[in-house]
Amino acid sequence: MKITGISGSPRPESSTNALIKAVLDSTDGESQIFNINELDIKPCQSCYYCKENGVCKYQDDYTDIVKALDESDVFVIGSPIYFSEVTAQLKTFIDRLYSVVNNQGISTKLVLIYVQANPDGSLYKPYIEAQSNMLSNIGFELVDTINAYGIPEYENLIENKEFLEKAKEIGSKL
Ligand SMILES: Cc1cc2nc3c(=O)[nH]c(=O)nc-3n(C[C@H](O)[C@H](O)[C@H](O)COP(=O)(O)O)c2cc1C
C-alpha cells in the first residue's frame, strides 16, 4: 500500500503535520509527505490549458503530487483552520486538482485532518462537511476525518492525546 500525506501548515512544529505523520506511521505501507509551504506550486491560473492538453501548463512541483495521486492508495490531507477555512497553501493544492479532475481523474481513498485553536468542535462542521462533499464529488473516497479542536499549539496536541490516538487508529485500519 502507498500512502501520501499533504500538509497545508507552514509551521515547522505543526500539529497538522504530527497528525498526518501519526496516520502514516500507523500503516504498514510505504509513505511520503508533501509540505505545500516548502514547494514551488503556482496557484491555478484558470487558463483551461489542461482541458485541451491533458496536463497543467505549469510543470512545477505539483507534477510530483500528480504522480503520487496516480500511484497512491490513500491520501491524508491536512490543514490548520485559518479564518474559518483551510490555509492558502492547502487551497492552492486543491485548486490545482482541476487539471487532474479534467484528465486522469481521481479515485484515491482520503483521510481529512483539520486543526483549530477554537475549543468548539462543532464550529467548522458545515465548512468541513461542504469540503468533504466537494472532494468526494471529484472522486476521492472519504474514509475518515479528524477535526482536532482546542489545539492552538503543538504542546496542546501532545497533552490532549485524543486526536493523536484517533490518527493512529485510522492509520492502523487502512
Ligand atoms: C492566520 C491565522 C488564522 C487563524 N484562524 C483561526 C480560526 O479561524 N479558527 C481557529 O480555531 N483557529 C485559527 N487559527 C489557529 C490555528 O488553526 C491553530 O494555531 C492550529 O493549531 C495551527 O496548526 P499547525 O500547528 O498545524 O500549523 C489561526 C491561526 C493563524 C496563524
Side-chain angles (χ1 to χ4, degrees):
M1 181 175 68
K2 280 197 172 182
I3 172 161
T4 295
I6 303 284
S7 175
S9 172
R11 276 180 166 174
E13 193 172 64
S14 149
S15 302
T16 307
N17 293 0
L19 287 166
I20 293 172
K21 204 167 174 303
V23 175
L24 267 48
D25 290 350
S26 306
T27 71
D28 47 18
E30 191 188 314
S31 68
Q32 62 183 333
I33 297 186
F34 291 96
N35 199 320
I36 303 299
N37 195 55
E38 290 168 5
L39 303 177
D40 172 27
I41 299 179
K42 199 172 174 63
C44 176
Q45 300 296 299
S46 186
C47 62
Y48 295 161
Y49 179 94
C50 60
K51 283 189 160 182
E52 311 237 317
N53 298 280
V55 288
C56 181
K57 190 175 179 180
Y58 298 95
Q59 294 296 294
D60 53 17
D61 289 344
Y62 205 79
T63 314
D64 295 333
I65 295 183
V66 174
K67 190 165 174 275
L69 254 176
D70 198 36
E71 294 173 352
S72 301
D73 302 286
V74 188
F75 256 44
V76 181
I77 300 177
S79 178
I81 294 286
Y82 279 9
F83 293 113
S84 309
E85 299 177 50
V86 295
T87 60
Q89 286 87 339
L90 195 78
K91 188 63 167 71
T92 299
F93 157 82
I94 290 172
D95 289 351
R96 285 285 298 272
L97 284 173
Y98 196 75
S99 71
V100 186
V101 173
N102 279 318
N103 294 293
Q104 57 270 56
I106 298 169
S107 57
T108 317
K109 286 186 178 160
L110 175 66
V111 175
L112 281 172
I113 296 174
Y114 299 87
V115 179
Q116 64 184 70
N118 197 295
D120 181 354
S122 66
L123 197 57
Y124 304 116
K125 271 215 164 103
Y127 172 74
I128 291 172
E129 205 176 301
Q131 192 157 69
S132 305
N133 289 339
M134 179 276 295
L135 291 167
S136 299
N137 288 341
I138 63 169
F140 283 106
E141 184 193 326
L142 185 62
V143 177
D144 218 329
T145 303
I146 300 175
N147 176 196
Y149 54 89
I151 310 290
E153 302 295 336
Y154 177 72
E155 296 74 60
N156 306 112
L157 183 79
I158 301 301
E159 280 160 17
N160 172 291
K161 290 195 181 76
E162 176 192 342
F163 302 116
L164 274 171
E165 286 308 317
K166 181 160 187 201
K168 288 179 196 167
E169 192 191 322
I170 291 172
S172 67
K173 287 182 182 163
L174 286 173

